[in-house]
Amino acid sequence: MENTQLKLGNQVCFPIYSVSRLLTKAYRPHLEQLGLTYPQYLVLLVLWEKDKCTVNHITEKLFLNTNTLSPLLKRMEKMNLLERIRSNADERNVIIQLTDTGSQLKTLALSIPENLLKTLLTENITMNDITQLRDTLNEWITILKSDTKNLE
């Protein structure tokens, strides 16, 4: 009997990895119209929810390391999308604040999720399916995040 555990088609991680790459690619034309990359869009999503937050808050929300996020924030600051300000209360903390340009992009980005949904919704895939998948993936994130903390 052949062991099927290591077949690519039997892996849970591969379709998730592939969908992630394909979704990022599907976002690209919408984001290019705004002059953004996908990681920059994610940072803006965090800031549109909660402006004037710490770098640590953004790293926690996006599961990024500071050394990955810092150059991204510097580029976004040069694009006049945000400002990095040292906290008066604690100089070790950097507060990230949207500029007017960064705030105004929110209006232009409003149609992006809807446009992506038009691509994903089909005869066989309903909004309920998408919501359920998102909720399941968020549960997995919680599980894996706590599980991998032991490895750090």
Side-chain angles (χ1 to χ4, degrees), residues 17 19 25 42 46 56 59 62 66 72 82 90 94 97 100 102 112-113 116 120 123 125 128 131-132 137-138 144 150:
Y17 167 78
V19 165
K25 190 175 182 178
L42 294 178
V46 171
N56 287 342
T59 61
L62 299 180
T66 307
L72 179 60
L82 54 83
D90 184 348
V94 175
Q97 175 179 317
D100 287 342
I112 294 174
L116 264 288
L120 297 174
E123 246 178 60
I125 300 174
N128 187 51
T131 303
Q132 197 170 10
L137 291 173
N138 280 327
L144 292 169
N150 301 328

Side-chain angles (χ1 to χ4, degrees), residues 5-123:
Q5 285 179 296
L6 295 180
K7 286 194 173 192
L8 185 60
N10 292 340
Q11 304 304 305
V12 172
C13 57
F14 182 68
I16 293 170
Y17 167 78
S18 299
V19 165
S20 174
R21 290 179 45 87
L22 291 168
L23 274 174
T24 302
K25 190 175 182 178
Y27 269 94
R28 191 172 298 134
H30 305 287
L31 295 175
E32 282 176 350
Q33 292 176 2
L34 304 180
L36 297 173
T37 64
Y38 186 71
Q40 291 168 341
Y41 175 66
L42 294 178
V43 169
L44 287 173
L45 287 173
V46 171
L47 292 170
W48 291 331
E49 270 184 46
K50 182 183 187 307
D51 194 9
K52 298 179 185 171
C53 62
T54 64
V55 171
N56 287 342
H57 175 77
I58 299 171
T59 61
E60 288 171 15
K61 293 291 268 184
L62 299 180
F63 308 107
L64 292 174
N65 294 326
T66 307
N67 61 353
T68 302
L69 185 62
S70 291
L72 179 60
L73 294 173
K74 284 180 185 176
R75 283 191 302 278
M76 292 177 75
E77 187 174 38
K78 284 181 184 171
M79 296 168 67
N80 192 34
L81 298 175
L82 54 83
E83 297 174 306
R84 296 175 305 140
I85 304 163
R86 289 255 170 233
S87 168
N88 290 334
D90 184 348
E91 286 194 10
R92 293 172 296 180
N93 285 328
V94 175
I95 307 299
I96 306 301
Q97 175 179 317
L98 287 167
T99 61
D100 287 342
T101 304
S103 293
Q104 291 166 1
L105 271 181
K106 183 176 183 178
T107 304
L108 298 173
L110 279 173
S111 62
I112 294 174
E114 185 179 325
N115 288 332
L116 264 288
L117 277 177
K118 286 178 187 174
T119 303
L120 297 174
L121 292 171
T122 65
E123 246 178 60

